[in-house]
Amino acid sequence: MNIRKHLEQFSASIRGDERPVGMLLGAGCAKSVWVDGSPLIPDMRGMTTAVEERIRDEGYSESWERIHTIGEFDEENANIEDILNLVRELRPHAGREEIRGLTAEELEYLEDSICSKIIELVDKELPDTESGYHSLAAWMSSIERKEPVEVFTTNYDLLLEQAFEEQNVPFFDGFVGGHRPFFDSYSVLNDELPSRWNRLWKIHGSVNWASEKSDSSIEIWRSLNEGEDAAVIHPSHMKYSQSRKMPYLAYLDRLKQFLNKPEAVLFVVGYSFRDQHLNETIIDGLRGPPSAQVFAFLYSELKSYSNAQEIAKQNADLSVFAKDAGIIGTQKQEWESSESDSDPGSDTIGLDWEEVESNQWQQQFQLGDFEEFGNFLGSVIGR
C-alpha cells in the first residue's frame, strides 16, 4: 500500500477549520528533542534506567530487586510508571511489619526517590532552535477554528506550555485562579471558552502541580513558587480510588467526550499504548458516533507494539501507522516496496525509503517521529 494517499488524508483533516482535531502526545515526543547529541528528556525506558542507577548508587539495590520480583518486571517490560504504581499500592499496608519483604521505610524511600528523579529528568526547557513543539504551536495559531484544538499528553514536562507561550497560543488546562490556581473539574467538562483558547490536558500530572491531602479529599493546584513541594506524579492506584475531582479522571472523561464529537479526529504520536486505562478510554470513546477517527503514528516497526495492534484489529475507527506497516480498517497493510539498484528517494514529508534487502526497497512511514510530525504540520501551513 502506498502511504501518500494517507498523508493527503491527514493533511486535509488538519488543514480545515470544521472538524474537531485533537492530539494525544506521549513520551516519545519529548525524546525527539535533542541537545548536544542526547535527547532533552528520555523515554520511559531511559527514565527507568536512570532511576535504577540512582537507587542502586544510594544502597537500595535489594529493595529495587524485591519490587521487580513482586511485580514480575524484567528488563523488557520494566516501566517506571508501573513500578511507581506498585510501590504506592504496597506502601499503605506497611506498618511495623514488612509487606512482601519490604519495610515502610524502604517503600517511602522508593516512592520519594522515583518521583524526585522523574522531576529532575523532565524539568527541562526547549532549546532556542525549532522543534516539533514549536511547529505544533505554530500550526495551532495559524487557523481560526470553530472547535478548539485539544492536546492530551501523558508527559509531566512543561515543553508544551513553553512552546504555546512562545508562539502566543492561548490555552486552558483546567486550572483557574491567580494566586494559587486550583483544578476545577467542572470547567474541564463544561468549558465555554472561545475556540481560540486551545485545550491542554496533562493526563499523568505535571512537574508544576502541587497537592495536599485531607481526611476526605485531595486538593491539587498549579504551583507558581520555586521550591514549593510540587509535582503531582500520576499514575498510581490513587488516580482511580480518590475523588473524581482528581485531574486524571476528569481528563479521561474529557478524552471520551472529545471522541464523541461528530467527525472528531485524534492524532496519536509518541504513545506506545501501554496505559491500559487510557487505552480503554479510547476504545470506549470510539463506541460512540461512528464518525470519530483515531490515527496512531508509531516510531518503530509494527511488531514492537502488541497492544496497539490488538486494539486496531478490533476497532475499525483506530488506524495504526508504524514505520514498516500498519493496521487500517482492522486489516494489516504492508507499505509499498520497489526493486531498484539505487535509493528511490522521496520528496514527501512523512515518507522515506529503506533498503531491506539487496536492491529491494520498502516505504518507511516517518510521522511516528514527533520532529517529522512537526515538519508535516509546518508543511500544511506553508511553513
Side-chain angles (χ1 to χ4, degrees), residues 92-106:
H93 304 289
R96 296 181 179 179
E97 303 295 329
E98 292 183 350
I99 176 75
R100 304 291 297 274
L102 290 165
T103 65
E105 182 270 334
E106 287 176 294

Side-chain angles (χ1 to χ4, degrees), residues 320-336:
V320 168
F321 296 80
K323 186 177 181 180
D324 60 333
I327 298 178
I328 302 165
T330 72
Q331 301 300 311
K332 183 177 179 180
Q333 305 286 343
E334 300 283 350
W335 305 144
E336 188 174 288

